[in-house]
Amino acid sequence: MRVLDLIIKKRDGGNLTAEEIGFLISEFDRGNIPDYQMSALLMAIYFQGLNARETTALTAALAESGEMLDFSSLGAIVADKHSSGGVGDKITLVLAPLVAAAGVPVAKISGRGLGFTGGTIDKLESIPGFSARLSVEKFMELVQENSLAIMVQTERLTPADGKLYALRNVTGTVENISLIAASIMSKKIAAGANAILLDVKMGRGAFIQNRDEAFHLAETMVRIGKEMGRRIVSVVTDMNQPLGFAVGNALEIKEVMNVLRGQGPPDVERLSVLLGGYLLALVGKVRNPEEGQEELLRLLKNGAGLEKFKQMVISQGGDAQCLEDLSLLPQAKFVETIKAPKSGYLREIDARKVGKVAAILGAGRSFKGEKIDFSVGIVLNHKVGNIVAEGDTLAYIHGNNEDTLKAAFKELSGTFSIGEEKAEGFPLIYGVVPPFPS
Ligand code: URA
């Protein structure tokens, strides 16, 4: 097989066989295909696309490039949940302990935040002592013992995806549904769970803003998952305004604790319970998502979810004191407020801008590996649809540096749109793929 022939085949609109795709990925992973040839192939794929068979073959080749976890010795269905990324998206941290408390083991491998979106691992690492750098063996042991563990993606899993994604990032070839679906699903398949819930975010604060594309991605990933023998459901959810009120790592952990104590923002509680209900129905723990939602709400109200979250944090080295006394979590030195310039209905809070402002403050990264400040971020005081009076506080900005605080204040001031006409707000969920029950 010659790489050049395969590039030309795809460039001219041909279909690659599973064998050819397997060859390309394993040779690229071994360093035997130079970046310039792989870049040409990626651009050919970007324009010509991959059919369903090619996309599944690419997923399998990426997954098989590293270790494949296997939880079959647990004798139970293991669940995983993935979000395509958003602003203030702390749903995993509420949903995972609730689902684990319902008796379904959750094994979650997460990434760090990049750009305007936050990452679950960064949020957890804002708890002093918490470690997400687990060995695969320790991860599996904790899933067995506690029914819940969250670890950071390592090079032992899907190494070829890491290399391919880095190349896509610098060659303008990220935004292709087949490539995105294969990349995400390869990590889900390698991570070993047999029931997968995918949260595809759509809106201003998500990578996908278009409804057709969001559903196309959801459908593509569900098809791949089913072909690879997984139970899978994908939910397209709103990301036009931030989820909850807090955006920023330690600030979001405080909000998660409040939700698990039954005192959190209704949108975070509701979406966590709705998505978790689908997961419980998917693994067959309940007869339908509604029954799952009832059960999760019960476990939220009786504190079982909170206890499970604490158990996970302590098992992974986190300081339990900080969860009892949230003022012990990292705190910023300064807090600035944004006031409403006029009275009216709050019509828009641009989630993307809020995410960018959080990154300016130091809560996010502009390049891989950048050090972040766990204490900074934004706490909103209102949601879209609320009525505000002139002078009301719209948001609190938490910062440690006067210059970045000033820049954040300037940027954030233009983020809120207030008008005389009532704004309806956004639905939490746009659709479920496949429609439930299937
Ligand atoms: N997230 C991934 O893991 N891969 C992509 O290609 C895009 C988003």
Side-chain angles (χ1 to χ4, degrees):
M1 251 182 260
R2 278 198 340 145
V3 177
L4 178 58
D5 294 337
L6 300 180
I7 296 172
I8 291 170
K9 186 177 180 185
K10 185 40 77 183
R11 182 199 68 188
D12 294 345
N15 295 331
L16 300 172
T17 65
E19 199 191 352
E20 287 166 343
I21 289 173
F23 163 79
L24 286 163
I25 295 303
S26 68
E27 288 303 303
F28 174 64
D29 189 37
R30 289 194 190 111
N32 296 337
I33 299 179
D35 281 358
Y36 55 81
Q37 281 196 308
M38 206 57 182
S39 305
L41 178 73
L42 286 169
M43 196 53 88
I45 291 174
Y46 181 88
F47 283 112
Q48 295 290 2
L50 292 176
N51 67 23
R53 223 178 280 159
E54 290 174 300
T55 310
T56 304
L58 177 60
T59 308
L62 292 171
E64 284 158 14
S65 69
E67 233 169 295
M68 304 273 282
L69 305 198
D70 180 1
F71 289 100
S72 54
S73 62
L74 256 62
I77 294 178
V78 173
D80 191 359
K81 180 252 174 199
H82 178 84
S83 159
S84 61
V87 177
D89 183 4
K90 54 207 62 94
I91 299 299
T92 292
L93 294 173
V94 178
L95 176 151
L98 284 174
V99 169
V104 176
V106 180
K108 172 88 185 98
I109 298 178
S110 281
R112 295 179 190 280
L114 193 61
F116 59 87
T117 66
T120 298
I121 297 295
D122 294 326
K123 293 169 204 192
L124 282 169
E125 284 181 349
S126 72
I127 303 170
F130 185 91
S131 174
R133 288 173 197 270
L134 304 176
S135 65
V136 163
E137 294 74 21
K138 182 74 186 168
F139 176 64
M140 294 180 74
E141 189 187 306
L142 287 177
V143 173
Q144 180 146 29
E145 273 173 20
N146 298 342
S147 296
L148 175 61
I150 301 185
M151 77 177 258
V152 67
Q153 171 80 24
T154 77
E155 301 216 326
R156 282 169 65 180
L157 291 161
T158 60
D161 175 66
K163 291 174 198 165
L164 203 65
Y165 190 80
L167 197 58
R168 287 168 57 209
N169 223 358
V170 292
T171 55
T173 52
V174 169
E175 298 91 346
N176 172 281
I177 296 289
S178 297
L179 291 176
I180 295 174
S183 168
I184 293 175
M185 286 307 294
S186 68
K187 287 177 282 230
K188 298 292 104 190
I189 299 297
N194 24 28
I196 303 165
L197 178 121
L198 301 168
D199 179 2
V200 175
K201 298 266 175 235
M202 181 185 105
R204 282 290 300 153
F207 291 114
I208 297 179
Q209 298 188 41
N210 172 297
R211 193 184 172 98
D212 288 347
E213 271 184 31
F215 278 91
H216 184 194
L217 178 61
E219 281 154 12
T220 306
M221 293 194 292
V222 165
R223 187 185 45 70
I224 295 171
K226 284 192 169 173
E227 279 177 19
M228 301 192 78
R230 301 306 201 266
R231 299 182 189 204
I232 184 163
V233 61
S234 191
V235 187
V236 178
T237 66
D238 182 69
M239 188 28 76
N240 280 298
Q241 64 177 329
L243 268 164
F245 293 109
V247 179
N249 300 295
L251 295 169
E252 289 191 51
I253 291 292
K254 286 182 194 169
E255 190 159 87
V256 165
M257 288 299 291
N258 288 335
V259 176
L260 289 170
R261 287 169 177 166
Q263 300 152 3
D267 60 338
V268 178
E269 176 183 305
R270 183 99 190 99
L271 189 58
S272 305
V273 165
L274 278 172
L275 295 181
Y278 285 112
L279 202 42
L280 289 193
L282 191 67
V283 302
K285 190 83 189 161
V286 291
R287 280 170 298 181
N288 53 52
E290 292 73 30
E291 207 176 299
Q293 287 151 22
E294 262 173 47
E295 172 64 358
L296 295 177
L297 212 47
R298 189 183 69 79
L299 295 167
L300 188 121
K301 301 295 174 205
N302 74 9
L306 178 64
E307 285 314 307
K308 190 50 81 178
F309 182 76
K310 284 187 193 165
Q311 183 188 44
M312 175 195 68
V313 168
I314 293 166
S315 298
Q316 297 192 217
D319 182 349
Q321 266 304 99
C322 294
L323 301 184
E324 302 303 330
D325 178 358
L326 298 179
S327 70
L328 297 176
L329 286 167
Q331 307 259 15
K333 270 192 269 178
F334 310 111
V335 181
E336 181 72 79
T337 53
I338 303 252
K339 303 279 187 194
K342 59 178 182 180
S343 302
Y345 288 100
L346 187 51
R347 298 186 52 80
E348 192 191 344
I349 306 172
D350 182 338
R352 182 169 297 234
K353 243 195 188 167
V354 174
K356 281 188 181 161
V357 171
I360 291 173
L361 288 162
R365 295 182 184 79
S366 48
F367 58 88
K368 210 172 161 186
E370 189 178 11
K371 203 166 155 32
I372 57 170
D373 184 339
F374 291 128
S375 67
V376 300
I378 295 140
V379 180
L380 302 169
N381 203 31
H382 286 283
K383 302 292 286 186
V384 170
N386 284 11
I387 296 176
V388 297
E390 185 182 336
D392 269 3
T393 298
L394 295 176
Y396 301 92
I397 311 174
H398 295 240
N400 279 321
N401 171 307
E402 291 192 43
D403 289 339
T404 52
L405 204 61
K406 246 186 236 160
F409 183 85
K410 197 161 159 235
E411 274 287 315
L412 202 64
S413 300
T415 301
F416 302 89
S417 151
I418 298 170
E420 282 172 16
E421 239 174 83
K422 183 161 172 45
E424 288 307 326
F426 300 99
L428 280 176
I429 288 182
Y430 293 107
V432 183
V433 180
F436 230 91
S438 61

